[in-house]
mmCIF file of all heavy atoms in Angstrom:
data_model
loop_
_atom_site.group_PDB
_atom_site.id
_atom_site.type_symbol
_atom_site.label_atom_id
_atom_site.label_comp_id
_atom_site.label_asym_id
_atom_site.label_seq_id
_atom_site.Cartn_x
_atom_site.Cartn_y
_atom_site.Cartn_z
ATOM 1 N N ASN O 1246 -18.727 -33.576 10.548
ATOM 2 C CA ASN O 1246 -18.677 -35.024 10.370
ATOM 3 C C ASN O 1246 -17.965 -35.283 9.052
ATOM 4 O O ASN O 1246 -17.379 -34.364 8.471
ATOM 5 C CB ASN O 1246 -20.083 -35.639 10.397
ATOM 6 C CG ASN O 1246 -21.061 -34.911 9.476
ATOM 7 O OD1 ASN O 1246 -20.757 -34.690 8.310
ATOM 8 N ND2 ASN O 1246 -22.227 -34.541 10.003
ATOM 9 N N THR O 1247 -17.995 -36.492 8.569
ATOM 10 C CA THR O 1247 -17.269 -36.825 7.341
ATOM 11 C C THR O 1247 -17.867 -36.179 6.099
ATOM 12 O O THR O 1247 -17.219 -36.127 5.054
ATOM 13 C CB THR O 1247 -17.241 -38.351 7.141
ATOM 14 O OG1 THR O 1247 -18.581 -38.850 7.104
ATOM 15 C CG2 THR O 1247 -16.467 -39.027 8.268
ATOM 16 N N GLN O 1248 -19.093 -35.667 6.206
ATOM 17 C CA GLN O 1248 -19.748 -35.101 5.033
ATOM 18 C C GLN O 1248 -19.873 -33.586 5.060
ATOM 19 O O GLN O 1248 -20.043 -32.967 4.004
ATOM 20 C CB GLN O 1248 -21.144 -35.704 4.868
ATOM 21 C CG GLN O 1248 -21.143 -37.176 4.485
ATOM 22 C CD GLN O 1248 -22.541 -37.685 4.220
ATOM 23 O OE1 GLN O 1248 -23.480 -37.356 4.945
ATOM 24 N NE2 GLN O 1248 -22.702 -38.485 3.174
ATOM 25 N N ASN O 1249 -19.819 -32.959 6.219
ATOM 26 C CA ASN O 1249 -20.073 -31.522 6.325
ATOM 27 C C ASN O 1249 -18.902 -30.799 6.989
ATOM 28 O O ASN O 1249 -18.491 -31.175 8.093
ATOM 29 C CB ASN O 1249 -21.346 -31.278 7.143
ATOM 30 C CG ASN O 1249 -22.574 -31.881 6.503
ATOM 31 O OD1 ASN O 1249 -23.178 -31.300 5.606
ATOM 32 N ND2 ASN O 1249 -22.945 -33.084 6.969
ATOM 33 N N LYS O 1250 -18.398 -29.766 6.313
ATOM 34 C CA LYS O 1250 -17.296 -28.981 6.853
ATOM 35 C C LYS O 1250 -17.464 -27.516 6.457
ATOM 36 O O LYS O 1250 -18.004 -27.191 5.383
ATOM 37 C CB LYS O 1250 -15.954 -29.520 6.384
ATOM 38 C CG LYS O 1250 -15.758 -29.530 4.885
ATOM 39 C CD LYS O 1250 -14.453 -30.211 4.487
ATOM 40 C CE LYS O 1250 -14.496 -31.686 4.766
ATOM 41 N NZ LYS O 1250 -13.285 -32.395 4.276
ATOM 42 N N VAL O 1251 -17.009 -26.633 7.326
ATOM 43 C CA VAL O 1251 -17.153 -25.195 7.116
ATOM 44 C C VAL O 1251 -15.829 -24.506 7.409
ATOM 45 O O VAL O 1251 -15.108 -24.876 8.356
ATOM 46 C CB VAL O 1251 -18.262 -24.604 8.022
ATOM 47 C CG1 VAL O 1251 -18.256 -23.079 7.963
ATOM 48 C CG2 VAL O 1251 -19.622 -25.129 7.609
ATOM 49 N N THR O 1252 -15.511 -23.498 6.614
ATOM 50 C CA THR O 1252 -14.356 -22.636 6.835
ATOM 51 C C THR O 1252 -14.808 -21.185 6.810
ATOM 52 O O THR O 1252 -15.575 -20.785 5.918
ATOM 53 C CB THR O 1252 -13.284 -22.845 5.752
ATOM 54 O OG1 THR O 1252 -12.797 -24.180 5.795
ATOM 55 C CG2 THR O 1252 -12.120 -21.888 5.946
ATOM 56 N N VAL O 1253 -14.382 -20.395 7.790
ATOM 57 C CA VAL O 1253 -14.623 -18.948 7.789
ATOM 58 C C VAL O 1253 -13.279 -18.258 7.957
ATOM 59 O O VAL O 1253 -12.388 -18.776 8.655
ATOM 60 C CB VAL O 1253 -15.595 -18.514 8.909
ATOM 61 C CG1 VAL O 1253 -16.976 -19.073 8.662
ATOM 62 C CG2 VAL O 1253 -15.083 -18.944 10.279
ATOM 63 N N GLY O 1254 -13.111 -17.107 7.305
ATOM 64 C CA GLY O 1254 -11.807 -16.470 7.370
ATOM 65 C C GLY O 1254 -11.835 -14.992 7.090
ATOM 66 O O GLY O 1254 -12.844 -14.419 6.646
ATOM 67 N N ILE O 1255 -10.689 -14.367 7.340
ATOM 68 C CA ILE O 1255 -10.498 -12.942 7.107
ATOM 69 C C ILE O 1255 -9.092 -12.704 6.565
ATOM 70 O O ILE O 1255 -8.134 -13.342 7.005
ATOM 71 C CB ILE O 1255 -10.721 -12.123 8.400
ATOM 72 C CG1 ILE O 1255 -10.530 -10.619 8.123
ATOM 73 C CG2 ILE O 1255 -9.808 -12.595 9.524
ATOM 74 C CD1 ILE O 1255 -10.901 -9.740 9.299
ATOM 75 N N ASP O 1256 -8.978 -11.845 5.582
ATOM 76 C CA ASP O 1256 -7.701 -11.350 5.073
ATOM 77 C C ASP O 1256 -7.661 -9.840 5.247
ATOM 78 O O ASP O 1256 -8.677 -9.151 5.032
ATOM 79 C CB ASP O 1256 -7.528 -11.660 3.584
ATOM 80 C CG ASP O 1256 -7.120 -13.086 3.307
ATOM 81 O OD1 ASP O 1256 -6.976 -13.871 4.273
ATOM 82 O OD2 ASP O 1256 -6.947 -13.425 2.115
ATOM 83 N N ILE O 1257 -6.492 -9.324 5.609
ATOM 84 C CA ILE O 1257 -6.257 -7.888 5.676
ATOM 85 C C ILE O 1257 -5.068 -7.582 4.784
ATOM 86 O O ILE O 1257 -4.005 -8.196 4.918
ATOM 87 C CB ILE O 1257 -5.992 -7.418 7.117
ATOM 88 C CG1 ILE O 1257 -7.211 -7.713 7.994
ATOM 89 C CG2 ILE O 1257 -5.662 -5.929 7.148
ATOM 90 C CD1 ILE O 1257 -6.996 -7.395 9.460
ATOM 91 N N ASN O 1258 -5.244 -6.643 3.854
ATOM 92 C CA ASN O 1258 -4.196 -6.313 2.892
ATOM 93 C C ASN O 1258 -3.832 -4.840 2.953
ATOM 94 O O ASN O 1258 -4.683 -3.980 3.195
ATOM 95 C CB ASN O 1258 -4.652 -6.658 1.470
ATOM 96 C CG ASN O 1258 -4.630 -8.149 1.204
ATOM 97 O OD1 ASN O 1258 -3.592 -8.723 0.914
ATOM 98 N ND2 ASN O 1258 -5.793 -8.786 1.319
ATOM 99 N N LYS O 1259 -2.556 -4.554 2.700
ATOM 100 C CA LYS O 1259 -2.050 -3.178 2.696
ATOM 101 C C LYS O 1259 -1.015 -3.040 1.591
ATOM 102 O O LYS O 1259 -0.037 -3.788 1.537
ATOM 103 C CB LYS O 1259 -1.400 -2.849 4.042
ATOM 104 C CG LYS O 1259 -0.630 -1.535 4.107
ATOM 105 C CD LYS O 1259 -1.565 -0.356 4.131
ATOM 106 C CE LYS O 1259 -0.854 0.941 4.535
ATOM 107 N NZ LYS O 1259 0.159 1.374 3.535
ATOM 108 N N LEU O 1260 -1.239 -2.105 0.661
ATOM 109 C CA LEU O 1260 -0.256 -1.828 -0.370
ATOM 110 C C LEU O 1260 0.987 -1.193 0.249
ATOM 111 O O LEU O 1260 0.887 -0.246 1.040
ATOM 112 C CB LEU O 1260 -0.832 -0.897 -1.437
ATOM 113 C CG LEU O 1260 -1.805 -1.525 -2.442
ATOM 114 C CD1 LEU O 1260 -2.458 -0.442 -3.294
ATOM 115 C CD2 LEU O 1260 -1.092 -2.543 -3.325
ATOM 116 N N LEU O 1261 2.157 -1.686 -0.141
ATOM 117 C CA LEU O 1261 3.421 -1.176 0.391
ATOM 118 C C LEU O 1261 4.041 -0.196 -0.601
ATOM 119 O O LEU O 1261 5.189 -0.348 -1.042
ATOM 120 C CB LEU O 1261 4.370 -2.340 0.674
ATOM 121 C CG LEU O 1261 3.835 -3.425 1.616
ATOM 122 C CD1 LEU O 1261 4.884 -4.513 1.825
ATOM 123 C CD2 LEU O 1261 3.417 -2.827 2.954
ATOM 124 N N VAL O 1262 3.276 0.808 -0.969
ATOM 125 C CA VAL O 1262 3.732 1.853 -1.883
ATOM 126 C C VAL O 1262 3.356 3.206 -1.287
ATOM 127 O O VAL O 1262 2.462 3.305 -0.446
ATOM 128 C CB VAL O 1262 3.104 1.700 -3.285
ATOM 129 C CG1 VAL O 1262 3.554 0.402 -3.935
ATOM 130 C CG2 VAL O 1262 1.596 1.737 -3.205
ATOM 131 N N PRO O 1263 4.049 4.275 -1.705
ATOM 132 C CA PRO O 1263 3.792 5.591 -1.101
ATOM 133 C C PRO O 1263 2.379 6.095 -1.363
ATOM 134 O O PRO O 1263 1.781 5.826 -2.405
ATOM 135 C CB PRO O 1263 4.830 6.500 -1.778
ATOM 136 C CG PRO O 1263 5.859 5.586 -2.338
ATOM 137 C CD PRO O 1263 5.148 4.328 -2.688
ATOM 138 N N THR O 1264 1.861 6.832 -0.403
ATOM 139 C CA THR O 1264 0.608 7.551 -0.593
ATOM 140 C C THR O 1264 0.900 8.827 -1.365
ATOM 141 O O THR O 1264 1.798 9.583 -0.984
ATOM 142 C CB THR O 1264 -0.029 7.909 0.760
ATOM 143 O OG1 THR O 1264 -0.205 6.720 1.523
ATOM 144 C CG2 THR O 1264 -1.376 8.589 0.554
ATOM 145 N N PRO O 1265 0.201 9.104 -2.460
ATOM 146 C CA PRO O 1265 0.494 10.309 -3.240
ATOM 147 C C PRO O 1265 0.141 11.567 -2.462
ATOM 148 O O PRO O 1265 -0.722 11.549 -1.577
ATOM 149 C CB PRO O 1265 -0.392 10.150 -4.477
ATOM 150 C CG PRO O 1265 -1.491 9.235 -4.050
ATOM 151 C CD PRO O 1265 -0.890 8.313 -3.041
ATOM 152 N N PRO O 1266 0.815 12.683 -2.771
ATOM 153 C CA PRO O 1266 0.469 13.941 -2.107
ATOM 154 C C PRO O 1266 -0.918 14.402 -2.508
ATOM 155 O O PRO O 1266 -1.416 14.067 -3.586
ATOM 156 C CB PRO O 1266 1.550 14.904 -2.615
ATOM 157 C CG PRO O 1266 1.994 14.324 -3.921
ATOM 158 C CD PRO O 1266 1.886 12.843 -3.771
ATOM 159 N N VAL O 1267 -1.567 15.153 -1.636
ATOM 160 C CA VAL O 1267 -2.900 15.664 -1.925
ATOM 161 C C VAL O 1267 -2.803 17.112 -2.384
ATOM 162 O O VAL O 1267 -1.890 17.843 -2.013
ATOM 163 C CB VAL O 1267 -3.816 15.569 -0.684
ATOM 164 C CG1 VAL O 1267 -4.074 14.125 -0.326
ATOM 165 C CG2 VAL O 1267 -3.214 16.303 0.501
ATOM 166 N N GLU O 1268 -3.744 17.514 -3.203
ATOM 167 C CA GLU O 1268 -3.771 18.895 -3.679
ATOM 168 C C GLU O 1268 -4.199 19.831 -2.551
ATOM 169 O O GLU O 1268 -5.045 19.462 -1.718
ATOM 170 C CB GLU O 1268 -4.720 19.016 -4.870
ATOM 171 C CG GLU O 1268 -4.253 18.243 -6.091
ATOM 172 C CD GLU O 1268 -5.158 18.455 -7.290
ATOM 173 O OE1 GLU O 1268 -6.189 19.141 -7.134
ATOM 174 O OE2 GLU O 1268 -4.835 17.952 -8.369
ATOM 175 N N PRO O 1269 -3.655 21.056 -2.513
ATOM 176 C CA PRO O 1269 -2.638 21.562 -3.443
ATOM 177 C C PRO O 1269 -1.242 21.093 -3.037
ATOM 178 O O PRO O 1269 -0.847 21.215 -1.886
ATOM 179 C CB PRO O 1269 -2.778 23.083 -3.282
ATOM 180 C CG PRO O 1269 -3.233 23.252 -1.863
ATOM 181 C CD PRO O 1269 -4.100 22.069 -1.550
ATOM 182 N N TYR O 1270 -0.515 20.513 -3.981
ATOM 183 C CA TYR O 1270 0.841 20.069 -3.697
ATOM 184 C C TYR O 1270 1.820 20.806 -4.602
ATOM 185 O O TYR O 1270 1.464 21.331 -5.656
ATOM 186 C CB TYR O 1270 0.988 18.556 -3.886
ATOM 187 C CG TYR O 1270 0.567 18.040 -5.233
ATOM 188 C CD1 TYR O 1270 1.404 18.135 -6.349
ATOM 189 C CD2 TYR O 1270 -0.667 17.422 -5.400
ATOM 190 C CE1 TYR O 1270 1.020 17.651 -7.574
ATOM 191 C CE2 TYR O 1270 -1.063 16.923 -6.632
ATOM 192 C CZ TYR O 1270 -0.213 17.042 -7.718
ATOM 193 O OH TYR O 1270 -0.593 16.565 -8.934
ATOM 194 N N THR O 1271 3.063 20.864 -4.159
ATOM 195 C CA THR O 1271 4.106 21.546 -4.899
ATOM 196 C C THR O 1271 4.837 20.561 -5.806
ATOM 197 O O THR O 1271 4.690 19.340 -5.667
ATOM 198 C CB THR O 1271 5.117 22.200 -3.949
ATOM 199 O OG1 THR O 1271 5.809 21.168 -3.223
ATOM 200 C CG2 THR O 1271 4.403 23.117 -2.950
ATOM 201 N N GLN O 1272 5.632 21.083 -6.714
ATOM 202 C CA GLN O 1272 6.444 20.223 -7.566
ATOM 203 C C GLN O 1272 7.419 19.418 -6.732
ATOM 204 O O GLN O 1272 7.719 18.263 -7.039
ATOM 205 C CB GLN O 1272 7.194 21.057 -8.602
ATOM 206 C CG GLN O 1272 7.991 20.238 -9.603
ATOM 207 C CD GLN O 1272 7.121 19.308 -10.430
ATOM 208 O OE1 GLN O 1272 6.049 19.695 -10.892
ATOM 209 N NE2 GLN O 1272 7.574 18.061 -10.624
ATOM 210 N N ALA O 1273 7.893 20.028 -5.643
ATOM 211 C CA ALA O 1273 8.809 19.307 -4.756
ATOM 212 C C ALA O 1273 8.119 18.099 -4.117
ATOM 213 O O ALA O 1273 8.727 17.033 -3.961
ATOM 214 C CB ALA O 1273 9.340 20.244 -3.679
ATOM 215 N N ASP O 1274 6.834 18.268 -3.745
ATOM 216 C CA ASP O 1274 6.080 17.146 -3.181
ATOM 217 C C ASP O 1274 5.984 16.004 -4.190
ATOM 218 O O ASP O 1274 6.162 14.829 -3.845
ATOM 219 C CB ASP O 1274 4.672 17.587 -2.781
ATOM 220 C CG ASP O 1274 4.666 18.569 -1.629
ATOM 221 O OD1 ASP O 1274 5.593 18.506 -0.798
ATOM 222 O OD2 ASP O 1274 3.734 19.401 -1.572
ATOM 223 N N LEU O 1275 5.697 16.352 -5.445
ATOM 224 C CA LEU O 1275 5.572 15.340 -6.484
ATOM 225 C C LEU O 1275 6.908 14.670 -6.765
ATOM 226 O O LEU O 1275 6.975 13.446 -6.948
ATOM 227 C CB LEU O 1275 5.019 15.981 -7.761
ATOM 228 C CG LEU O 1275 4.621 15.025 -8.888
ATOM 229 C CD1 LEU O 1275 3.553 14.050 -8.416
ATOM 230 C CD2 LEU O 1275 4.128 15.803 -10.100
ATOM 231 N N ASP O 1276 7.988 15.473 -6.771
ATOM 232 C CA ASP O 1276 9.319 14.904 -7.009
ATOM 233 C C ASP O 1276 9.719 13.952 -5.891
ATOM 234 O O ASP O 1276 10.305 12.890 -6.143
ATOM 235 C CB ASP O 1276 10.354 16.028 -7.135
ATOM 236 C CG ASP O 1276 10.174 16.852 -8.406
ATOM 237 O OD1 ASP O 1276 9.513 16.356 -9.343
ATOM 238 O OD2 ASP O 1276 10.691 17.984 -8.459
ATOM 239 N N ASN O 1277 9.402 14.316 -4.660
ATOM 240 C CA ASN O 1277 9.730 13.444 -3.532
ATOM 241 C C ASN O 1277 8.959 12.135 -3.608
ATOM 242 O O ASN O 1277 9.481 11.069 -3.281
ATOM 243 C CB ASN O 1277 9.421 14.156 -2.211
ATOM 244 C CG ASN O 1277 10.384 15.283 -1.910
ATOM 245 O OD1 ASN O 1277 11.512 15.291 -2.403
ATOM 246 N ND2 ASN O 1277 9.939 16.255 -1.122
ATOM 247 N N TYR O 1278 7.711 12.236 -4.029
ATOM 248 C CA TYR O 1278 6.889 11.035 -4.170
ATOM 249 C C TYR O 1278 7.474 10.095 -5.219
ATOM 250 O O TYR O 1278 7.599 8.882 -4.996
ATOM 251 C CB TYR O 1278 5.462 11.448 -4.539
ATOM 252 C CG TYR O 1278 4.586 10.323 -5.032
ATOM 253 C CD1 TYR O 1278 4.123 9.345 -4.163
ATOM 254 C CD2 TYR O 1278 4.214 10.252 -6.378
ATOM 255 C CE1 TYR O 1278 3.310 8.313 -4.617
ATOM 256 C CE2 TYR O 1278 3.397 9.227 -6.836
ATOM 257 C CZ TYR O 1278 2.955 8.268 -5.956
ATOM 258 O OH TYR O 1278 2.155 7.256 -6.407
ATOM 259 N N ARG O 1279 7.858 10.640 -6.356
ATOM 260 C CA ARG O 1279 8.366 9.813 -7.444
ATOM 261 C C ARG O 1279 9.772 9.289 -7.189
ATOM 262 O O ARG O 1279 10.154 8.229 -7.693
ATOM 263 C CB ARG O 1279 8.364 10.606 -8.759
ATOM 264 C CG ARG O 1279 6.978 10.866 -9.320
ATOM 265 C CD ARG O 1279 7.077 11.389 -10.741
ATOM 266 N NE ARG O 1279 5.768 11.478 -11.370
ATOM 267 C CZ ARG O 1279 5.128 10.466 -11.939
ATOM 268 N NH1 ARG O 1279 5.696 9.273 -11.932
ATOM 269 N NH2 ARG O 1279 3.957 10.620 -12.495
ATOM 270 N N SER O 1280 10.555 10.016 -6.409
ATOM 271 C CA SER O 1280 11.963 9.658 -6.236
ATOM 272 C C SER O 1280 12.209 8.658 -5.112
ATOM 273 O O SER O 1280 13.336 8.208 -4.927
ATOM 274 C CB SER O 1280 12.793 10.918 -5.976
ATOM 275 O OG SER O 1280 12.412 11.536 -4.750
ATOM 276 N N GLN O 1281 11.186 8.308 -4.363
ATOM 277 C CA GLN O 1281 11.382 7.352 -3.282
ATOM 278 C C GLN O 1281 11.868 6.017 -3.827
ATOM 279 O O GLN O 1281 11.406 5.545 -4.865
ATOM 280 C CB GLN O 1281 10.081 7.127 -2.506
ATOM 281 C CG GLN O 1281 9.646 8.305 -1.671
ATOM 282 C CD GLN O 1281 8.482 7.939 -0.768
ATOM 283 O OE1 GLN O 1281 8.587 7.031 0.058
ATOM 284 N NE2 GLN O 1281 7.375 8.624 -0.929
ATOM 285 N N SER O 1282 12.815 5.420 -3.103
ATOM 286 C CA SER O 1282 13.303 4.109 -3.519
ATOM 287 C C SER O 1282 12.266 3.041 -3.202
ATOM 288 O O SER O 1282 11.402 3.223 -2.334
ATOM 289 C CB SER O 1282 14.617 3.788 -2.808
ATOM 290 O OG SER O 1282 14.392 3.552 -1.433
ATOM 291 N N VAL O 1283 12.369 1.931 -3.897
ATOM 292 C CA VAL O 1283 11.405 0.853 -3.716
ATOM 293 C C VAL O 1283 11.458 0.305 -2.292
ATOM 294 O O VAL O 1283 10.431 0.168 -1.617
ATOM 295 C CB VAL O 1283 11.662 -0.272 -4.729
ATOM 296 C CG1 VAL O 1283 10.847 -1.507 -4.381
ATOM 297 C CG2 VAL O 1283 11.318 0.198 -6.138
ATOM 298 N N ILE O 1284 12.661 -0.004 -1.822
ATOM 299 C CA ILE O 1284 12.786 -0.640 -0.506
ATOM 300 C C ILE O 1284 12.317 0.294 0.600
ATOM 301 O O ILE O 1284 11.575 -0.124 1.508
ATOM 302 C CB ILE O 1284 14.241 -1.092 -0.269
ATOM 303 C CG1 ILE O 1284 14.616 -2.188 -1.265
ATOM 304 C CG2 ILE O 1284 14.419 -1.594 1.161
ATOM 305 C CD1 ILE O 1284 16.043 -2.665 -1.153
ATOM 306 N N SER O 1285 12.705 1.559 0.547
ATOM 307 C CA SER O 1285 12.277 2.481 1.602
ATOM 308 C C SER O 1285 10.767 2.672 1.593
ATOM 309 O O SER O 1285 10.144 2.842 2.646
ATOM 310 C CB SER O 1285 12.983 3.830 1.442
ATOM 311 O OG SER O 1285 12.562 4.498 0.263
ATOM 312 N N SER O 1286 10.161 2.609 0.415
ATOM 313 C CA SER O 1286 8.706 2.811 0.331
ATOM 314 C C SER O 1286 7.938 1.691 1.022
ATOM 315 O O SER O 1286 6.823 1.910 1.489
ATOM 316 C CB SER O 1286 8.276 2.926 -1.131
ATOM 317 O OG SER O 1286 8.396 1.684 -1.818
ATOM 318 N N TRP O 1287 8.509 0.482 1.071
ATOM 319 C CA TRP O 1287 7.831 -0.615 1.765
ATOM 320 C C TRP O 1287 7.609 -0.271 3.236
ATOM 321 O O TRP O 1287 6.601 -0.665 3.826
ATOM 322 C CB TRP O 1287 8.646 -1.901 1.664
ATOM 323 C CG TRP O 1287 8.857 -2.385 0.267
ATOM 324 C CD1 TRP O 1287 8.145 -2.047 -0.849
ATOM 325 C CD2 TRP O 1287 9.867 -3.302 -0.177
ATOM 326 N NE1 TRP O 1287 8.659 -2.677 -1.958
ATOM 327 C CE2 TRP O 1287 9.707 -3.466 -1.580
ATOM 328 C CE3 TRP O 1287 10.886 -4.004 0.461
ATOM 329 C CZ2 TRP O 1287 10.539 -4.301 -2.335
ATOM 330 C CZ3 TRP O 1287 11.718 -4.831 -0.284
ATOM 331 C CH2 TRP O 1287 11.537 -4.969 -1.664
ATOM 332 N N PHE O 1288 8.549 0.452 3.825
ATOM 333 C CA PHE O 1288 8.465 0.784 5.248
ATOM 334 C C PHE O 1288 7.735 2.109 5.489
ATOM 335 O O PHE O 1288 6.899 2.209 6.389
ATOM 336 C CB PHE O 1288 9.869 0.834 5.848
ATOM 337 C CG PHE O 1288 10.620 -0.465 5.730
ATOM 338 C CD1 PHE O 1288 11.510 -0.679 4.682
ATOM 339 C CD2 PHE O 1288 10.427 -1.478 6.649
ATOM 340 C CE1 PHE O 1288 12.194 -1.879 4.559
ATOM 341 C CE2 PHE O 1288 11.109 -2.685 6.546
ATOM 342 C CZ PHE O 1288 11.995 -2.883 5.490
ATOM 343 N N THR O 1289 8.033 3.116 4.669
ATOM 344 C CA THR O 1289 7.399 4.424 4.866
ATOM 345 C C THR O 1289 5.931 4.423 4.495
ATOM 346 O O THR O 1289 5.193 5.337 4.866
ATOM 347 C CB THR O 1289 8.128 5.512 4.051
ATOM 348 O OG1 THR O 1289 8.094 5.171 2.648
ATOM 349 C CG2 THR O 1289 9.584 5.633 4.502
ATOM 350 N N SER O 1290 5.474 3.383 3.758
ATOM 351 C CA SER O 1290 4.063 3.322 3.373
ATOM 352 C C SER O 1290 3.139 3.218 4.582
ATOM 353 O O SER O 1290 1.939 3.471 4.465
ATOM 354 C CB SER O 1290 3.816 2.137 2.437
ATOM 355 O OG SER O 1290 4.085 0.899 3.088
#
């Protein structure tokens, strides 16, 4: 009515950055993680 109103909602969020390698990882794994471009990481995430 004019005095009572309710809103219910849900948000779902996802970071668009690479997932870091898990141990045990190699130096190559770490280099690949750090060297990813920003734009490609949005999709590969």
